[in-house]
């Protein structure tokens, strides 16, 4: 029997209806559309502002749509890997909550925390479950309600992030399609530049931590930018070299959507034309774990069986990496 590879066989996404535009932000903080577009590429983002709804609720929408598209039931899912930094609660895992809400009665699963690289780390993890031969249906979700941890009086961060959820189903493939290679990295020195100071065991939440706004995202943007440009470009070039891929061989770059300038630098380093790069930052902003599956979802009908995709990301931790995969199906939608 041929070697088992882990192929994405379906993708879906969900974003809330409510739009937060640059013009809206101009009324909230000292910023302007020109600055935001030229520095980040973002024009608007989606915000989940319905009281009582959380990250899992966006995931439910995305996953139920995926199950319908693929024609399988929730009971057929065996493993759920949920990449998020904004789980519904510190515990239990949002994978548990999602499984309950969609009726995935036969699944086990867990949350995976790797900030903006979480979807990539989850994809590699899920691929190993499939390649082992033991599992046939592994669900990978990347979802974040970033608006829950953003200070909308801080212009350094509130212009960047948005809410959204994406998911893919991984199944065994015997034609060599699916995940081919992954290079993933972490460097905890980077924790000082991008983090949420309070709420964990180091600094449990108190009135003081709330007053000091330490439950919100802190980012030293300039430093993160410096490491992100270098890290994402280097690892993307590295995965091409290791797999003997020329820029002509790469059909699509699927980059994390943190900043259009970081995406452009990565594409340049890989020698790719702009028309080979998936970009949704203009209309969704940085949805953290949602960016990569949301790109795949929006580009699904352009993808062809055998296309070579390089997915790459950089995020808090620091965490970063690249995954090379061969797309496994043509879509007629
Ligand atoms: O996804 C996880 C990983 N995260 C990233 O990869 C993000 C990496 N960082 C970035 O994308 C960029 O650093 C930012 C978009 C966050 C900021 O862009 P920047 O070009 O690095 O701006 P800066 O922080 O160096 O600020 C430049 C100027 C400053 O003013 P002065 O000191 O030059 O007078 C800021 O105060 O722009 C000012 N500024 C703003 N002005 C208008 C900062 N934020 C804003 C704003 N509107 N929203």
């Amino acid at each position: 029997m041929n070697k088992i590879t882990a192929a994405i066989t379906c993708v879906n996404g969900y974003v809330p209806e409510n739009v937060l535009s640059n013009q809206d932000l101009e009324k909230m903080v000292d910023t302007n559309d020109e600055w935001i577009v030229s520095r980040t590429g973002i024009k608007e983002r989606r915000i989940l502002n319905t009281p009582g709804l959380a990250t899992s609720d966006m995931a439910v929408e995305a996953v139920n749509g995926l199950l319908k598209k693929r024609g399988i039931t929730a009971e057929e899912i065996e493993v759920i890997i949920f990449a998020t930094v904004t789980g519904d609660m510190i515990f239990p895992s949002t994978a548990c909550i999602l499984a309950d809400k969609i009726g995935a009665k036969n699944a086990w699963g867990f949350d995976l925390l790797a900030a903006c690289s979480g979807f990539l780390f989850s994809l590699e993890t899920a691929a190993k479950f499939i390649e082992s031969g033991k599992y046939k249906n592994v669900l990978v979700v990347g979802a974040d309600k970033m608006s829950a941890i953003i200070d909308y009086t801080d212009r350094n961060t509130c212009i960047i992030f948005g809410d959204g959820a994406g998911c893919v189903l991984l199944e065994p493939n015997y034609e060599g399609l699916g995940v081919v290679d992954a290079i993933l990295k972490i460097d905890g020195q980077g924790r000082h530049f991008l983090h949420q100071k309070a709420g964990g065991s180091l600094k449990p939440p108190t009135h003081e931590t709330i007053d000091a706004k330490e439950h919100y995202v802190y980012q030293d943007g300039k430093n993160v930018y410096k490491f992100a440009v270098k890290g994402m470009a280097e690892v993307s070039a590295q995965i091409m070299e290791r797999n003997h891929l020329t820029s002509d061989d790469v059909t699509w770059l699927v980059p994390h959507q943190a900043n259009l300038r970081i995406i452009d630098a990565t594409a340049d380093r890989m020698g790719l034309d702009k028309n080979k790069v998936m970009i949704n930052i203009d209309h969704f902003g940085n949805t953290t774990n949602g960016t990569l599956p949301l790109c795949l979802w929006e580009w699904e009908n352009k993808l062809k069986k055998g296309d070579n995709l390089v997915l790459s990301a950089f995020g808090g931790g620091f965490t970063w990496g690249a995954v090379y995969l061969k797309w496994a199906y043509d879509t007629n939608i």
Side-chain angles (χ1 to χ4, degrees), residues 30-32 35-36 39-40 116 155-156 159-161 194 219 221-222 224-225 228 256 258-259 261-262 286 314-316:
D30 180 16
T31 190
N32 59 78
W35 191 96
I36 302 173
R39 297 288 180 126
T40 69
C116 295
R155 71 176 184 172
N156 291 305
I159 56 125
I160 299 170
F161 294 97
L194 180 51
Q219 177 170 253
K222 242 191 217 341
V224 177
Y225 183 88
H256 172 53
N259 187 314
R261 291 180 289 146
I262 300 173
N286 181 349
F314 188 94

Side-chain angles (χ1 to χ4, degrees), residues 24-60:
D24 295 328
L25 284 163
E26 283 176 2
K27 295 177 201 139
M28 297 158 66
V29 289
D30 180 16
T31 190
N32 59 78
D33 178 58
E34 197 278 326
W35 191 96
I36 302 173
V37 173
S38 63
R39 297 288 180 126
T40 69
I42 303 169
K43 293 181 183 146
E44 59 183 45
R45 56 302 281 139
R46 300 299 182 93
I47 302 295
L48 183 66
N49 61 353
T50 312
L53 294 190
T55 298
S56 70
D57 297 294
M58 294 189 291
V60 166

